[in-house]
């Protein structure tokens, strides 16, 4: 009886989901779907979804696109058209969408095919105002400035070919302190040890603080920020210590999101550890909770196949 009930519910859910998707296709007049991404809210919970559709070509260098915003129950919130400039030999990949107040921030990679792989030439963003249902021009971060993407020759490769690095811009939808985390990202992995600071800009794109790490980093010994988590007044960083590609240790660092000052550092792994840990950080009932899986230590320190179990740490 229970199996029949579960089967009936599964079939009903599939029928409802299929009908909703068909309605969306009709709503967008069967336009080509370019991207479908989840939208994350202030607490990293699911807010809804954004769909990007390709429309008609305006001219040689411009294409008409359209976005559709849905809530988490697939109800329409907003819809509008915009113009996407076409760059020679360039593919635009929409990689993430984050909610900051009444704005959404879209992250996009401009890639070109280099022999056997796609190479990201520049990482850009758009701001989507939910109140006015408008979308901004593309902008990016470079050398301490937010800049509009304005390329006259339409060649992404020619414009940015000399750049050895690009900047990762993370929109922080924090109620107390909304803004952007900015960190350099070298295209060549052999230069990853050269990243030594993390910047925070407020929602008006003004620099508020800089967190310095990896001060004496070399390819044989350096620190790298792997993950961010921002539930409230604290910004949590997962920081790895490496020698080349070899993992040497993992620490959890808590920063005051308003000032960038270190509030605590919790060392999870070092070279003497018998186990390796994956990490996920949550803020529950005013406590910092670290959860994940743990694995036996081995020579490579990154062989994640033989998991031993789960762990939970409350700070």
């Amino acid at each position: 009886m229970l199996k029949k009930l579960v089967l009936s519910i599964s079939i009903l859910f599939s029928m409802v989901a299929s009908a909703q998707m068909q309605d969306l296709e009709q709503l967008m007049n069967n336009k080509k779907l370019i991207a479908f991404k989840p939208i994350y809210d202030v607490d990293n919970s699911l807010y809804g979804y954004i769909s990007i559709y390709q429309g008609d070509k305006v001219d040689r260098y411009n294409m008409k696109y359209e976005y559709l915003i849905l809530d988490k129950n697939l109800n329409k919130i907003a819809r509008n058209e915009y113009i996407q400039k076409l760059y020679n030999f360039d593919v635009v990949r929409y990689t993430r969408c984050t909610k900051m107040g009444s704005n959404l921030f879209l992250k996009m990679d401009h890639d070109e095919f280099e022999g056997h792989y796609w190479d990201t030439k520049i990482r850009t963003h758009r701001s989507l105002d939910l109140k006015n249902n408008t979308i901004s021009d593309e902008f990016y971060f470079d050398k301490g400035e937010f800049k509009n993407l304005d390329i006259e020759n339409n060649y992404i490769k020619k414009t940015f070919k000399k750049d050895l690095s690009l900047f990762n811009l993370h929109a922080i939808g924090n109620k107390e302190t909304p803004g952007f985390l900015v960190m350099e990202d070298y295209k060549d992995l052999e230069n990853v040890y050269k990243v030594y600071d993390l910047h925070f800009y407020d929602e008006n794109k003004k620099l508020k603080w800089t967190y310095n790490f990896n001060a004496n980093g070399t390819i044989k010994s350096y620190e790298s920020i792997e993950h961010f988590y921002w539930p409230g007044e604290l910004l949590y960083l997962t920081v790895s210590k490496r020698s080349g590609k070899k993992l040497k240790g993992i620490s959890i660092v808590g920063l005051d999101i308003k000032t960038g000052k270190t509030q605590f550092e919790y060392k999870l792994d070092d070279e003497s550890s018998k186990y390796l840990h994956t990490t996920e950080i949550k803020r529950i009932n005013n406590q910092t909770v670290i959860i994940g899986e743990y694995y036996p230590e081995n020579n490579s320190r990154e062989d994640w196949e033989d998991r031993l179990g789960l762990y939970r740490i409350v700070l």
Side-chain angles (χ1 to χ4, degrees):
M1 181 66 182
L2 180 59
K3 290 183 179 180
K4 290 183 179 180
L5 179 60
V6 171
L7 180 60
S8 299
I9 293 174
S10 300
I11 292 174
L12 179 61
F13 178 81
S14 299
M15 291 174 64
V16 171
S18 177
Q20 286 177 319
M21 294 309 296
Q22 289 177 1
D23 289 342
L24 292 178
E25 290 177 0
Q26 293 174 2
L27 181 65
M28 302 309 294
N29 298 319
N30 295 315
K31 294 179 179 178
K32 182 179 180 181
L33 179 65
I34 299 298
F36 182 79
K37 294 292 179 182
I39 302 170
Y40 299 99
D41 212 332
V42 174
D43 58 356
N44 281 335
S45 64
L46 181 65
Y47 170 79
Y49 305 91
I50 182 169
S51 302
I52 307 292
Y53 295 86
Q54 181 178 297
D56 298 327
K57 200 169 185 178
V58 177
D59 54 38
R60 181 181 177 184
Y61 298 114
N62 296 280
M63 180 77 76
K64 188 178 292 184
Y65 275 47
E66 189 167 357
Y67 62 79
L68 175 65
I69 311 296
L70 308 172
D71 66 16
K72 60 184 178 182
N73 296 315
L74 299 183
N75 299 307
K76 187 179 78 169
I77 296 176
R79 172 187 176 186
N80 205 355
E81 293 183 338
Y82 64 98
I83 301 299
Q84 175 65 50
K85 192 170 183 179
L86 303 176
Y87 299 99
N88 291 3
F89 310 110
D90 175 37
V91 172
V92 181
R93 292 190 301 114
Y94 292 82
T95 60
R96 186 174 174 86
C97 185
T98 305
K99 187 173 182 289
M100 183 193 292
S102 61
N103 290 322
L104 302 180
F105 285 90
L106 286 167
K107 181 184 292 187
M108 296 166 286
D109 284 353
H110 289 262
D111 296 344
E112 286 191 344
F113 192 66
E114 297 283 355
H116 302 288
Y117 63 95
W118 288 100
D119 183 34
T120 301
K121 297 301 181 184
I122 185 68
R123 186 161 290 140
T124 65
H125 304 78
R126 286 183 185 269
S127 174
L128 198 158
D129 189 327
L130 290 175
K131 288 183 178 179
N132 300 318
N133 196 22
T134 56
I135 191 167
S136 73
D137 294 332
E138 283 183 84
F139 64 91
Y140 66 104
F141 186 92
D142 183 42
K143 298 178 178 63
E145 294 184 78
F146 290 81
K147 302 177 180 179
N148 286 332
L149 186 64
D150 185 13
I151 301 176
E152 294 181 358
N153 59 23
N154 277 61
Y155 281 90
I156 288 282
K157 184 175 182 178
K158 286 183 179 180
T159 305
F160 297 103
K161 69 178 180 179
K162 294 182 180 180
D163 292 352
L164 298 177
S165 64
L166 46 80
F167 286 86
N168 277 321
L169 185 64
H170 303 270
I172 302 297
N174 189 294
K175 288 182 179 179
E176 291 81 11
T177 315
F180 304 91
L181 288 172
V182 180
M183 191 167 66
E184 195 168 10
D185 183 15
Y186 279 86
K187 298 178 181 180
D188 188 343
L189 292 179
E190 292 182 358
N191 292 318
V192 68
Y193 69 92
K194 297 179 180 179
V195 179
Y196 55 85
D197 51 26
L198 172 70
H199 308 284
F200 181 76
Y201 289 77
D202 64 20
E203 57 186 334
N204 297 315
K205 301 177 182 177
K206 302 295 183 182
L207 179 63
K208 302 302 291 183
W209 52 259
T210 297
Y211 171 69
N212 301 113
F213 64 99
N214 193 37
N216 302 309
T218 66
I219 190 63
K220 293 184 179 180
S221 179
Y222 66 94
E223 294 181 343
S224 177
I225 296 177
E226 307 285 347
H227 302 290
F228 307 107
Y229 176 57
W230 54 91
E233 295 181 356
L234 283 179
L235 168 66
Y236 295 88
L237 310 177
T238 302
V239 181
S240 67
K241 294 185 177 181
R242 295 178 179 273
S243 177
K245 296 181 180 179
K246 188 176 181 180
L247 183 65
K248 292 288 187 176
I250 296 176
S251 297
I252 307 298
V253 178
L255 304 181
D256 185 321
I257 200 167
K258 293 182 179 180
T259 65
K261 293 182 179 180
T262 302
Q263 301 301 299
F264 72 86
E265 180 175 357
Y266 182 82
K267 187 176 292 185
L268 193 60
D269 289 328
D270 59 25
E271 291 187 80
S272 64
S273 300
K274 295 182 179 180
Y275 305 105
L276 300 178
H277 300 79
T278 63
T279 58
E280 184 174 350
I281 307 170
K282 295 293 183 183
R283 189 71 179 167
I284 303 174
N285 297 328
N286 295 320
Q287 293 180 311
T288 301
V289 181
I290 308 171
I291 58 175
E293 300 171 331
Y294 66 99
Y295 303 75
E297 158 66 317
N298 56 55
N299 292 331
S300 71
R301 287 189 65 87
E302 288 191 274
D303 184 359
W304 305 111
E305 295 181 358
D306 301 322
R307 68 189 67 183
L308 297 175
L310 305 175
Y311 76 93
R312 178 175 180 267
I313 300 173
V314 179
L315 301 182

